[in-house]
Amino acid sequence: MYKRQLYDSEEEQEIYNNQKFLQIYSILRNKYQVIFRLVGDQNFKKISYEYFKYNPVQSAREEHYGNSFSDFLGTLNQLSEFRYIKWLAKLDWFWFNPVSEGDTIQLPKGTLNSWASIYKNQESINIEINESVIENLQIQKIGKEIQIVAI
């Protein structure tokens, strides 16, 4: 996995000790588990703080907090060479938030396979996303399992 430092290590530690930030960091980490695995704890914490600075919690309904995180990732200069990251994050949001059978999302072809290889902690991660081809992904119940499938 790619885990280079995205920001200066001199960033203030007191920011990370802020109780509200730690709560938000935990929320984002739970909703963006694949992104967390991909960039690592330290980078995820720094990215989460940048998001937190510009997207303060504005309601008591924190379960909706982070819905624009994927678009935010796509705007970061530090991640500009990783164009696929926003698509992986959109699938994270889709999967790790309350979902119902039949829910759908449209993403570039290859997003599901790339996301799954990270989610399953496969030894070899191959990220191949074709933004020129869009596929529909749907939540389906197969036996007793809930899965995301391309339709």
Side-chain angles (χ1 to χ4, degrees), residues 87 90-91 94 102-113 115 134-140 147-151:
W87 303 117
K90 285 182 183 292
L91 191 49
F94 182 68
D103 286 355
T104 61
I105 188 172
Q106 292 184 328
L107 292 171
K109 187 166 183 69
T111 302
L112 179 58
N113 289 336
W115 180 87
I134 301 298
E135 64 183 355
N136 290 312
L137 304 176
Q138 184 178 56
I139 301 292
Q140 292 184 359
Q147 297 180 359
I148 301 174
V149 295
I151 54 171

Side-chain angles (χ1 to χ4, degrees), residues 22-41:
L22 292 175
Q23 181 182 9
I24 293 304
Y25 168 74
S26 178
I27 290 169
L28 291 174
R29 184 175 170 183
N30 286 330
K31 292 181 179 189
Y32 293 95
Q33 294 178 28
V34 166
I35 299 303
F36 175 81
R37 288 179 187 168
L38 187 64
V39 301
D41 182 53

Side-chain angles (χ1 to χ4, degrees), residues 3-147:
K3 294 185 180 175
R4 108 183 148 160
Q5 291 297 94
L6 298 176
Y7 298 90
D8 294 333
S9 60
E10 310 253 333
E11 201 163 327
E12 299 176 23
Q13 187 62 34
E14 66 191 50
I15 290 167
Y16 298 137
N17 294 330
N18 175 297
Q19 191 61 32
K20 189 63 176 173
F21 169 70
L22 292 175
Q23 181 182 9
I24 293 304
Y25 168 74
S26 178
I27 290 169
L28 291 174
R29 184 175 170 183
N30 286 330
K31 292 181 179 189
Y32 293 95
Q33 294 178 28
V34 166
I35 299 303
F36 175 81
R37 288 179 187 168
L38 187 64
V39 301
D41 182 53
Q42 204 52 27
N43 287 327
F44 192 83
K45 192 174 275 185
K46 290 176 183 181
I47 292 167
S48 296
Y49 177 69
E50 289 299 313
Y51 182 77
F52 175 68
K53 277 193 329 191
Y54 298 106
N55 298 279
V57 178
Q58 296 180 354
S59 82
R61 302 193 63 178
E62 291 177 353
E63 68 267 10
H64 297 294
Y65 187 80
N67 65 341
S68 63
F69 190 66
S70 57
D71 293 324
F72 174 77
L73 292 174
T75 67
L76 292 175
N77 289 333
Q78 299 89 334
L79 298 173
S80 62
E81 61 190 272
F82 307 105
R83 292 183 48 189
Y84 57 82
I85 202 161
K86 74 177 179 180
W87 303 117
L88 297 174
K90 285 182 183 292
L91 191 49
D92 260 351
W93 178 263
F94 182 68
W95 181 247
F96 293 113
N97 280 283
V99 293
S100 300
E101 186 175 2
D103 286 355
T104 61
I105 188 172
Q106 292 184 328
L107 292 171
K109 187 166 183 69
T111 302
L112 179 58
N113 289 336
S114 300
W115 180 87
S117 71
I118 300 165
Y119 179 69
K120 294 177 182 176
N121 282 324
Q122 292 179 348
E123 195 167 305
S124 175
I125 296 174
N126 187 19
I127 298 176
E128 291 185 31
I129 295 176
N130 182 351
E131 292 180 328
S132 66
V133 179
I134 301 298
E135 64 183 355
N136 290 312
L137 304 176
Q138 184 178 56
I139 301 292
Q140 292 184 359
K141 186 173 183 179
I142 301 173
K144 293 185 179 184
E145 290 187 3
I146 302 292
Q147 297 180 359

